[in-house]
């Protein structure tokens, strides 16, 4: 019988498809890498600078539609 630790060791957590869609959108449209965290109420996107955050905010409607987001989009600036 396997221990619980052994069973969970090789298991990778599943991410919502929206996270991959957001990362792909940022790479294709802006040429940047972002970090995305999902919570119960929103997707938190961390972009590398203020200019990119502004572009994300301007394109929020397009991002929500193309990435099929089902929660709020929150954009933070990170360095």
């Amino acid at each position: 019988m396997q221990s619980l630790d052994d069973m969970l060791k090789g298991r990778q957590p599943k991410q919502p498809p929206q996270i991959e869609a957001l990362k792909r959108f940022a790479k294709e449209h802006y040429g940047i890498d972002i970090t995305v965290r999902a919570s119960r109420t929103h997707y938190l996107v961390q972009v590398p600078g203020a200019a990119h955050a502004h572009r994300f905010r301007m394109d929020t409607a397009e991002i929500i539609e193309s990435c099929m987001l089902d929660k709020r989009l929150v954009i933070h600036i990170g360095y």
Side-chain angles (χ1 to χ4, degrees), residues 15-25:
Q15 294 183 354
Q18 290 87 353
I19 291 178
E20 280 302 315
L22 283 166
K23 289 180 179 182
R24 189 173 43 251
F25 185 91

Side-chain angles (χ1 to χ4, degrees), residues 1-3 6-7:
M1 184 170 182
Q2 278 185 319
S3 70
D6 291 336
M7 289 172 25

Side-chain angles (χ1 to χ4, degrees), residues 57-76:
R57 287 185 184 106
M58 295 297 292
D59 297 337
T60 297
E62 180 185 353
I63 293 169
I64 289 172
E65 184 179 324
S66 66
C67 297
M68 294 183 281
L69 299 184
D70 54 348
K71 302 174 192 171
R72 254 180 357 119
L73 179 64
V74 178
I75 303 162
H76 281 190

Side-chain angles (χ1 to χ4, degrees), residues 3-58:
S3 70
L4 184 59
D5 191 35
D6 291 336
M7 289 172 25
L8 294 177
K9 193 176 288 184
R11 182 172 177 228
Q12 295 294 325
K14 293 190 178 194
Q15 294 183 354
Q18 290 87 353
I19 291 178
E20 280 302 315
L22 283 166
K23 289 180 179 182
R24 189 173 43 251
F25 185 91
K27 191 65 160 175
E28 290 173 1
H29 287 81
Y30 307 123
I32 58 171
D33 292 321
I34 60 171
T35 58
V36 182
R37 285 187 275 169
S39 79
R40 197 174 47 118
T41 58
H42 62 275
Y43 294 104
L44 176 66
V45 174
Q46 189 170 5
V47 296
H52 292 299
H54 179 69
R55 289 178 66 189
F56 255 76
R57 287 185 184 106
M58 295 297 292

